[in-house]
Short mmCIF file of all heavy atoms in Angstrom, two decimals:
data_model
loop_
_atom_site.label_atom_id
_atom_site.label_comp_id
_atom_site.label_asym_id
_atom_site.label_seq_id
_atom_site.Cartn_x
_atom_site.Cartn_y
_atom_site.Cartn_z
N TYR N 1 178.86 82.79 -14.49
CA TYR N 1 178.10 83.55 -15.50
C TYR N 1 177.21 82.51 -16.17
O TYR N 1 177.49 81.39 -16.50
CB TYR N 1 179.02 84.05 -16.56
CG TYR N 1 179.47 85.47 -16.30
CD1 TYR N 1 180.44 85.73 -15.31
CD2 TYR N 1 179.07 86.48 -17.00
CE1 TYR N 1 180.92 86.98 -15.01
CE2 TYR N 1 179.45 87.77 -16.76
CZ TYR N 1 180.37 88.07 -15.76
OH TYR N 1 180.87 89.31 -15.47
N GLY N 2 175.92 82.99 -16.47
CA GLY N 2 175.13 82.37 -17.51
C GLY N 2 175.64 82.81 -18.78
O GLY N 2 176.25 83.80 -18.99
N ASN N 3 175.37 81.90 -19.81
CA ASN N 3 175.99 82.19 -21.19
C ASN N 3 174.92 81.98 -22.20
O ASN N 3 173.72 81.82 -21.89
CB ASN N 3 177.20 81.39 -21.43
CG ASN N 3 178.28 82.24 -22.17
OD1 ASN N 3 177.95 82.81 -23.18
ND2 ASN N 3 179.61 82.19 -21.72
N SER N 4 175.30 81.89 -23.47
CA SER N 4 174.25 81.78 -24.44
C SER N 4 173.78 80.23 -24.57
O SER N 4 172.90 79.97 -25.20
CB SER N 4 174.83 82.14 -25.92
OG SER N 4 176.04 81.42 -26.10
N GLY N 5 174.41 79.47 -23.79
CA GLY N 5 173.99 78.04 -23.79
C GLY N 5 173.24 77.40 -22.59
O GLY N 5 172.51 76.56 -22.70
N GLY N 6 173.62 77.90 -21.46
CA GLY N 6 173.10 77.34 -20.14
C GLY N 6 173.16 78.22 -18.97
O GLY N 6 173.80 79.25 -19.08
N GLY N 7 172.48 77.87 -17.94
CA GLY N 7 172.54 78.74 -16.74
C GLY N 7 173.90 78.57 -16.09
O GLY N 7 174.53 77.52 -16.18
N GLY N 8 174.38 79.56 -15.34
CA GLY N 8 175.54 79.38 -14.68
C GLY N 8 175.47 78.55 -13.41
O GLY N 8 174.35 78.39 -12.93
N GLY N 9 176.52 78.08 -12.88
CA GLY N 9 176.48 77.37 -11.64
C GLY N 9 176.44 78.28 -10.41
O GLY N 9 176.87 79.44 -10.59
N GLY N 10 176.00 77.90 -9.36
CA GLY N 10 175.90 78.68 -8.10
C GLY N 10 177.28 78.64 -7.32
O GLY N 10 178.01 77.73 -7.48
N GLY N 11 177.48 79.80 -6.69
CA GLY N 11 178.70 79.80 -5.92
C GLY N 11 178.70 78.96 -4.67
O GLY N 11 177.76 78.81 -4.11
N GLY N 12 179.88 78.38 -4.37
CA GLY N 12 180.04 77.58 -3.17
C GLY N 12 180.74 78.46 -2.19
O GLY N 12 181.17 79.51 -2.43
N ALA N 13 180.90 77.91 -0.93
CA ALA N 13 181.36 78.72 0.16
C ALA N 13 182.91 78.72 0.22
O ALA N 13 183.52 77.80 0.73
CB ALA N 13 180.79 78.21 1.55
N ALA N 14 183.49 79.69 -0.28
CA ALA N 14 185.03 80.10 -0.03
C ALA N 14 185.88 78.89 -0.33
O ALA N 14 185.60 77.86 -0.90
CB ALA N 14 185.16 80.45 1.43
N GLY N 15 187.23 79.19 0.02
CA GLY N 15 188.36 78.30 -0.06
C GLY N 15 188.24 77.20 -1.13
O GLY N 15 188.55 77.44 -2.26
N ASN N 16 187.89 75.96 -0.66
CA ASN N 16 187.84 74.82 -1.54
C ASN N 16 186.69 75.10 -2.62
O ASN N 16 186.67 74.34 -3.56
CB ASN N 16 187.61 73.60 -0.75
CG ASN N 16 188.84 73.22 0.13
OD1 ASN N 16 189.89 73.20 -0.49
ND2 ASN N 16 188.59 73.03 1.38
N GLY N 17 185.74 76.01 -2.39
CA GLY N 17 184.69 76.06 -3.36
C GLY N 17 185.20 76.83 -4.56
O GLY N 17 184.80 76.57 -5.69
N ALA N 18 185.97 77.83 -4.43
CA ALA N 18 186.48 78.76 -5.53
C ALA N 18 185.25 79.28 -6.30
O ALA N 18 184.13 79.30 -5.73
CB ALA N 18 187.40 77.91 -6.44
N GLY N 19 185.40 79.69 -7.61
CA GLY N 19 184.40 80.26 -8.29
C GLY N 19 183.57 79.15 -9.08
O GLY N 19 184.16 78.13 -9.40
N ALA N 20 182.32 79.29 -9.25
CA ALA N 20 181.49 78.43 -9.91
C ALA N 20 181.81 78.46 -11.49
O ALA N 20 182.34 79.32 -12.08
CB ALA N 20 180.07 78.62 -9.78
N THR N 21 181.37 77.41 -12.17
CA THR N 21 181.64 77.36 -13.67
C THR N 21 180.54 78.08 -14.45
O THR N 21 179.44 77.90 -14.11
CB THR N 21 181.60 75.78 -14.11
OG1 THR N 21 182.57 75.08 -13.35
CG2 THR N 21 181.87 75.73 -15.63
N PRO N 22 180.98 78.85 -15.38
CA PRO N 22 179.89 79.51 -16.17
C PRO N 22 179.25 78.52 -17.12
O PRO N 22 179.79 77.48 -17.46
CB PRO N 22 180.68 80.47 -17.00
CG PRO N 22 182.01 79.99 -17.07
CD PRO N 22 182.32 79.23 -15.81
N GLY N 23 178.00 78.87 -17.53
CA GLY N 23 177.42 78.21 -18.68
C GLY N 23 178.13 78.34 -19.96
O GLY N 23 178.86 79.32 -20.06
N SER N 24 178.20 77.44 -20.85
CA SER N 24 178.91 77.49 -22.10
C SER N 24 178.26 78.31 -23.12
O SER N 24 177.04 78.40 -23.13
CB SER N 24 179.29 76.10 -22.49
OG SER N 24 178.16 75.53 -23.12
N SER N 25 179.06 78.70 -24.15
CA SER N 25 178.45 79.28 -25.32
C SER N 25 178.12 78.20 -26.42
O SER N 25 178.40 76.97 -26.16
CB SER N 25 179.38 80.34 -25.88
OG SER N 25 180.67 79.70 -26.14
N ASP N 26 177.51 78.57 -27.53
CA ASP N 26 177.24 77.71 -28.62
C ASP N 26 178.50 77.05 -29.17
O ASP N 26 179.63 77.62 -29.00
CB ASP N 26 176.46 78.37 -29.73
CG ASP N 26 175.10 78.73 -29.43
OD1 ASP N 26 174.56 78.14 -28.49
OD2 ASP N 26 174.60 79.61 -30.10
N PRO N 27 178.50 75.91 -29.56
CA PRO N 27 177.38 75.06 -29.85
C PRO N 27 177.10 73.93 -28.77
O PRO N 27 176.16 73.17 -28.92
CB PRO N 27 177.86 74.15 -31.12
CG PRO N 27 179.20 74.04 -30.85
CD PRO N 27 179.79 75.25 -30.21
N TYR N 28 177.78 74.03 -27.69
CA TYR N 28 177.57 73.06 -26.73
C TYR N 28 176.43 73.21 -25.64
O TYR N 28 175.74 72.25 -25.25
CB TYR N 28 178.94 72.82 -25.92
CG TYR N 28 180.03 72.49 -26.77
CD1 TYR N 28 181.03 73.46 -27.07
CD2 TYR N 28 180.22 71.18 -27.44
CE1 TYR N 28 182.12 73.16 -27.93
CE2 TYR N 28 181.17 70.89 -28.19
CZ TYR N 28 182.18 71.83 -28.51
OH TYR N 28 183.18 71.61 -29.39
N ARG N 29 176.20 74.50 -25.31
CA ARG N 29 175.00 74.84 -24.63
C ARG N 29 174.92 74.02 -23.26
O ARG N 29 173.92 73.46 -22.87
CB ARG N 29 173.80 74.66 -25.39
CG ARG N 29 173.78 75.34 -26.78
CD ARG N 29 172.55 75.02 -27.61
NE ARG N 29 172.64 73.59 -27.94
CZ ARG N 29 172.36 73.06 -29.18
NH1 ARG N 29 172.21 73.84 -30.08
NH2 ARG N 29 172.26 71.73 -29.35
N TYR N 30 176.08 73.93 -22.48
CA TYR N 30 176.04 73.24 -21.33
C TYR N 30 175.72 74.11 -20.13
O TYR N 30 176.21 75.34 -20.15
CB TYR N 30 177.40 72.62 -21.08
CG TYR N 30 177.85 71.47 -21.95
CD1 TYR N 30 179.09 71.17 -22.06
CD2 TYR N 30 176.90 70.81 -22.72
CE1 TYR N 30 179.49 70.04 -22.90
CE2 TYR N 30 177.23 69.76 -23.57
CZ TYR N 30 178.58 69.36 -23.69
OH TYR N 30 178.87 68.29 -24.36
N GLY N 31 175.03 73.63 -19.15
CA GLY N 31 174.85 74.36 -17.97
C GLY N 31 176.07 74.40 -17.04
O GLY N 31 176.90 73.38 -17.07
N GLY N 32 176.32 75.39 -16.30
CA GLY N 32 177.55 75.58 -15.52
C GLY N 32 177.35 74.66 -14.23
O GLY N 32 176.34 74.39 -13.72
N ASN N 33 178.48 74.23 -13.77
CA ASN N 33 178.68 73.46 -12.66
C ASN N 33 178.64 74.28 -11.30
O ASN N 33 179.13 75.40 -11.36
CB ASN N 33 179.82 72.49 -12.59
CG ASN N 33 179.80 71.47 -13.69
OD1 ASN N 33 178.76 70.98 -14.02
ND2 ASN N 33 180.92 71.13 -14.12
N GLY N 34 178.06 73.80 -10.25
CA GLY N 34 178.17 74.48 -8.93
C GLY N 34 179.54 74.35 -8.30
O GLY N 34 180.25 73.33 -8.58
N ALA N 35 179.92 75.34 -7.50
CA ALA N 35 181.16 75.18 -6.86
C ALA N 35 180.96 74.39 -5.44
O ALA N 35 179.95 74.34 -4.92
CB ALA N 35 181.71 76.57 -6.46
N GLY N 36 182.05 73.76 -5.09
CA GLY N 36 182.01 72.96 -3.85
C GLY N 36 181.97 73.79 -2.52
O GLY N 36 182.19 75.06 -2.60
N GLY N 37 181.57 73.19 -1.51
CA GLY N 37 181.40 73.86 -0.28
C GLY N 37 182.77 74.01 0.48
O GLY N 37 183.79 73.63 -0.03
N GLN N 38 182.67 74.50 1.65
CA GLN N 38 183.88 74.66 2.46
C GLN N 38 184.09 73.51 3.37
O GLN N 38 183.15 72.99 4.08
CB GLN N 38 183.73 75.94 3.38
CG GLN N 38 185.07 76.28 4.08
CD GLN N 38 184.92 77.67 4.64
OE1 GLN N 38 183.91 78.19 5.11
NE2 GLN N 38 186.12 78.44 4.65
N TYR N 39 185.28 72.96 3.35
CA TYR N 39 185.57 71.68 4.10
C TYR N 39 185.72 71.94 5.67
O TYR N 39 186.36 72.90 6.03
CB TYR N 39 186.83 71.10 3.59
CG TYR N 39 187.33 69.76 4.18
CD1 TYR N 39 186.54 68.66 3.99
CD2 TYR N 39 188.31 69.76 5.08
CE1 TYR N 39 186.95 67.44 4.49
CE2 TYR N 39 188.78 68.48 5.65
CZ TYR N 39 188.00 67.38 5.32
OH TYR N 39 188.40 66.18 5.95
N TYR N 40 185.08 71.06 6.41
CA TYR N 40 185.11 71.29 7.87
C TYR N 40 185.68 69.91 8.41
O TYR N 40 185.03 68.89 8.41
CB TYR N 40 183.70 71.49 8.34
CG TYR N 40 183.57 71.67 9.85
CD1 TYR N 40 184.26 72.73 10.52
CD2 TYR N 40 182.71 70.86 10.58
CE1 TYR N 40 184.19 72.97 11.87
CE2 TYR N 40 182.60 71.10 11.92
CZ TYR N 40 183.33 72.07 12.59
OH TYR N 40 183.20 72.30 13.90
N ALA N 41 186.89 70.03 8.98
CA ALA N 41 187.71 68.77 9.25
C ALA N 41 187.10 67.84 10.26
O ALA N 41 187.03 66.72 10.07
CB ALA N 41 189.01 69.13 9.73
N PRO N 42 186.48 68.41 11.29
CA PRO N 42 185.92 67.40 12.38
C PRO N 42 184.78 66.57 11.84
O PRO N 42 184.58 65.40 12.39
CB PRO N 42 185.33 68.38 13.49
CG PRO N 42 186.10 69.62 13.35
CD PRO N 42 186.42 69.71 11.91
N THR N 43 183.98 66.89 10.80
CA THR N 43 182.98 66.05 10.32
C THR N 43 183.47 65.35 8.96
O THR N 43 182.74 64.52 8.43
CB THR N 43 181.73 66.83 9.98
OG1 THR N 43 182.00 67.91 9.07
CG2 THR N 43 181.20 67.46 11.26
N GLY N 44 184.49 65.97 8.38
CA GLY N 44 184.99 65.47 7.02
C GLY N 44 183.96 65.79 5.92
O GLY N 44 183.93 65.06 4.82
N VAL N 45 183.13 66.84 6.04
CA VAL N 45 182.13 67.08 5.06
C VAL N 45 182.29 68.62 4.51
O VAL N 45 182.80 69.39 5.38
CB VAL N 45 180.73 66.99 5.59
CG1 VAL N 45 179.65 67.38 4.59
CG2 VAL N 45 180.52 65.59 5.97
N ARG N 46 181.93 68.82 3.31
CA ARG N 46 181.96 70.21 2.81
C ARG N 46 180.56 70.77 2.97
O ARG N 46 179.57 70.12 2.61
CB ARG N 46 182.39 70.30 1.32
CG ARG N 46 183.80 69.83 1.11
CD ARG N 46 184.15 69.95 -0.34
NE ARG N 46 185.42 69.25 -0.56
CZ ARG N 46 186.64 69.68 -0.37
NH1 ARG N 46 186.82 70.83 0.11
NH2 ARG N 46 187.70 69.00 -0.68
N TYR N 47 180.37 71.96 3.45
CA TYR N 47 179.06 72.55 3.58
C TYR N 47 178.96 73.86 2.65
O TYR N 47 179.94 74.48 2.38
CB TYR N 47 178.83 72.94 5.02
CG TYR N 47 178.81 71.78 5.99
CD1 TYR N 47 179.93 71.37 6.64
CD2 TYR N 47 177.69 71.03 6.09
CE1 TYR N 47 179.91 70.33 7.55
CE2 TYR N 47 177.61 69.90 6.95
CZ TYR N 47 178.82 69.59 7.76
OH TYR N 47 178.70 68.46 8.54
#
């Protein structure tokens, strides 16, 4: 979610991504964090 303080984070892809962080309300007005990608074992990277 976007909130009264900052934009929401974007969704990441499934499993290890879970839900993105919402933007905060006053007085902190922080932007939300993005969610992580999905882990792919052969490369050791999240996409």
Side-chain angles (χ1 to χ4, degrees):
Y1 271 74
N3 216 313
S4 56
N16 294 307
T21 304
S24 73
S25 58
D26 290 342
Y28 302 106
R29 305 173 301 227
Y30 291 164
N33 296 328
Q38 191 167 31
Y39 183 70
Y40 183 57
T43 60
V45 176
R46 298 182 195 278
Y47 297 98

